[in-house]
Amino acid sequence: MSGHSKWNNIKHKKEKTDAARGKIFTKIGKEITICVKAAGADPVMNPRLRVLMQNAKAANMPKDTVERAIKKALSKDYTDYKEMNYEGYGPHGIAIFVETATDNTTRTVANVRSYFNKLGGSLGTSGSLEFLFDHKCVFHIAKQDGLDLESLELELIDYGVDEIVEDDEDIVIYGEFAQNSAIQKYLEDNGYEITSSEFVRIPNDTKTLNEEQMAAVNKLIERIEEDEDVQNVFHNMAEPEDEE
């Protein structure tokens, strides 16, 4: 299957983004707050919260920061975050999908539009580019001695999983977004240790640019990613394979 290699090729310099630990903590904190507000603060009863707490652990997020995110959701003064998506074209016709969590949609849409306008792109209407991306859930599980990946993949096909690959550190499972809860339940019920989980949008087709064109697109993506309301940015620009 091609999903894993495609995702590795198109993700936008994740290592560089992950270096900004404050941004990572803010992102996870918002996810935890939204999750607790929706389904409660008990991780036993809230499956999504369980994996978000694992994500926090994997990111070395301080325990008190996690606790503050939970308390914020339970506070009477809590202002709801709204999860809003924005779609547009960057330079050279590259599709860009922006996921945000914001307490002020007027501010967020104005900011996102300004980034597109100033850096050679244009913001489109909601839903206009969603068809260009496949929405997937991704689970990372700890390796186990004697684990047969082919057998596991056969078991999980009925749960909407379309690829399982082994990385240096763990095993990565890609599945349909709508099957996230079912996949998580199977993994937990069968004793697999989920080390982290995320949702991604993988382009169903990519566009190849030259180095100069890529630099223009990357400039826009980096500016969008700097915004405090932005959670994730996905695009359909093919990035060159890492040189051996």
Side-chain angles (χ1 to χ4, degrees), residues 73-240:
L74 301 176
S75 169
K76 293 181 180 179
D77 299 326
Y78 170 66
T79 301
D80 279 337
Y81 287 122
K82 292 185 178 179
E83 295 180 286
M84 302 293 294
N85 298 329
Y86 301 100
E87 302 151 63
Y89 281 104
H92 312 292
I94 294 299
I96 298 176
F97 196 105
V98 183
E99 296 179 342
T100 72
T102 177
D103 57 3
N104 186 327
T105 56
T106 301
R107 175 193 67 218
T108 304
V109 68
N111 286 346
V112 172
R113 179 178 288 111
S114 72
Y115 307 146
F116 276 91
N117 290 344
K118 291 177 182 177
L119 293 170
S122 60
L123 190 63
T125 57
S126 178
S128 60
L129 302 182
E130 193 166 10
F131 72 98
L132 295 174
F133 298 86
D134 297 325
H135 206 183
K136 300 289 184 180
C137 62
V138 183
F139 289 92
H140 297 254
I141 63 173
K143 293 182 179 181
Q144 297 180 0
D145 290 338
L147 178 60
D148 186 331
L149 294 187
E150 289 188 7
S151 296
L152 179 60
E153 189 164 9
L154 286 173
E155 286 286 332
L156 284 170
I157 284 177
D158 291 338
Y159 292 84
V161 166
D162 49 31
E163 183 175 23
I164 299 178
V165 296
E166 185 173 2
D167 277 353
D168 292 338
E169 298 180 356
D170 50 23
I171 293 167
V172 188
I173 299 170
Y174 294 80
E176 295 300 321
F177 172 78
Q179 294 296 104
N180 175 73
S181 295
I183 296 169
Q184 180 180 340
K185 185 175 187 305
Y186 175 92
L187 294 173
E188 292 178 338
D189 288 350
N190 287 275
Y192 294 100
E193 179 189 352
I194 300 173
T195 56
S196 67
S197 173
E198 61 185 326
F199 299 122
V200 301
R201 296 180 188 272
I202 301 176
N204 46 53
D205 192 22
T206 56
K207 186 172 182 178
T208 301
L209 304 181
N210 63 38
E211 187 173 340
E212 182 179 353
Q213 292 170 332
M214 287 177 62
V217 177
N218 285 334
K219 186 175 181 179
L220 170 58
I221 293 172
E222 288 169 3
R223 183 64 190 91
I224 296 170
E225 288 178 333
E226 290 172 358
D227 191 285
E228 63 179 7
D229 295 330
V230 171
Q231 295 289 90
N232 297 295
V233 181
F234 303 99
H235 60 81
N236 70 341
M237 177 174 61
E239 296 192 0

